[in-house]
Amino acid sequence: GAINQFYEGKLECGILEPDTKRAHNLAGKIIQENHHLLWVKMPKENQFQEQREGTSFFNTPEIDVIERLCQQLENTWASKIANGEPKKEIAVITFYGAQLKKIDQRLQSELFPSLQIRTGTVDRFQGMERPIVIVSMVRNNNQGDVGFAKKSERVNVAFSRAQELLIIVGCHDLFTHQPAKVGN
């Protein structure tokens, strides 16, 4: 469906033989071995838009996607656990407290025995890194409002926590059609 429109960005990487040093060994349906950055493009249609909760926002379709991604990571990594590998460390981060609460409710650790999932807000993750980071952008609206993503340094913190694989879940149209820095 619409959610499986994946986009591969090419980031310049300062590591020699990056693909061996940064191998995440997680090839599956969506994630390929040579991917280090994926943007899961959420459609602009109304049913994919954010909802408000108090002063915060949440986006249920993004959580659905994140749950499915974690399920895929779980399925891929389970065989590695059987061969004695440690759990795969994953961070799921977002700019919004309401989204974080709902992510926590959905990603119960017993559903993902092969993964070590840490969740948090972008700000709380400053200075921390994880092999795999999934960022939930949340905002998806017809007003062109990107919310916290207006501050490019916060986006930078969000996008620079990943050591092997960064997965961004959000409305690509909304965030790339911004003027100036954010759009880039």
Side-chain angles (χ1 to χ4, degrees):
I3 288 166
N4 293 334
Q5 304 168 38
F6 284 78
Y7 172 80
E8 210 213 322
K10 290 272 183 273
L11 279 184
E12 288 301 311
C13 170
I15 303 174
L16 294 169
E17 306 144 23
D19 287 336
T20 50
K21 297 257 184 358
R22 295 173 58 202
H24 45 69
N25 302 314
L26 282 166
K29 261 206 299 279
I30 299 167
I31 297 156
Q32 302 303 310
E33 217 49 82
N34 60 336
H35 287 170
H36 295 292
L37 169 62
L38 286 176
W39 189 306
V40 185
K41 292 181 168 182
M42 302 299 290
K44 283 194 96 153
E45 282 88 82
N46 288 347
Q47 71 263 34
F48 295 98
Q49 295 192 351
E50 70 209 30
Q51 290 170 272
R52 208 190 175 97
E53 187 170 275
T55 55
S56 195
F57 293 91
F58 68 95
N59 186 316
T60 307
E62 286 190 18
I63 301 171
D64 296 338
V65 169
I66 290 165
E67 186 179 18
R68 216 170 317 156
L69 284 165
C70 287
Q71 203 54 68
Q72 192 185 102
L73 295 171
E74 170 64 35
N75 297 344
T76 309
W77 201 251
S79 60
K80 304 264 198 296
I81 295 273
N83 294 331
E85 291 279 339
K87 292 183 175 192
K88 193 67 169 176
E89 290 184 51
I90 296 173
V92 180
I93 59 178
T94 181
F95 297 96
Y96 295 94
Q99 184 77 338
L100 178 60
K101 223 169 49 211
K102 292 185 189 313
I103 287 170
D104 282 340
Q105 288 161 4
R106 196 82 74 84
L107 299 183
Q108 302 290 321
S109 55
E110 56 272 15
L111 300 172
F112 308 101
S114 311
L115 310 178
Q116 187 80 54
I117 302 177
R118 284 282 306 265
T119 63
T121 57
V122 171
D123 294 338
R124 230 184 311 162
F125 248 83
Q126 202 142 2
M128 274 194 277
E129 291 189 315
R130 284 291 178 276
I132 297 177
V133 175
I134 302 174
V135 182
S136 176
M137 300 299 285
V138 178
R139 302 308 293 271
N140 186 343
N141 55 66
N142 299 326
Q143 292 74 53
D145 184 359
V146 296
F148 287 130
K150 278 198 282 288
K151 299 197 171 78
S152 58
E153 63 279 3
R154 295 182 80 175
V155 175
N156 187 39
V157 167
F159 288 4
S160 57
R161 304 299 98 200
Q163 297 158 319
E164 300 169 0
L165 175 64
L166 169 65
I167 305 174
I168 302 158
V169 179
C171 181
H172 188 261
D173 280 355
L174 174 66
F175 290 98
T176 53
H177 290 149
Q178 295 302 310
K181 272 206 216 137
V182 176
N184 299 337

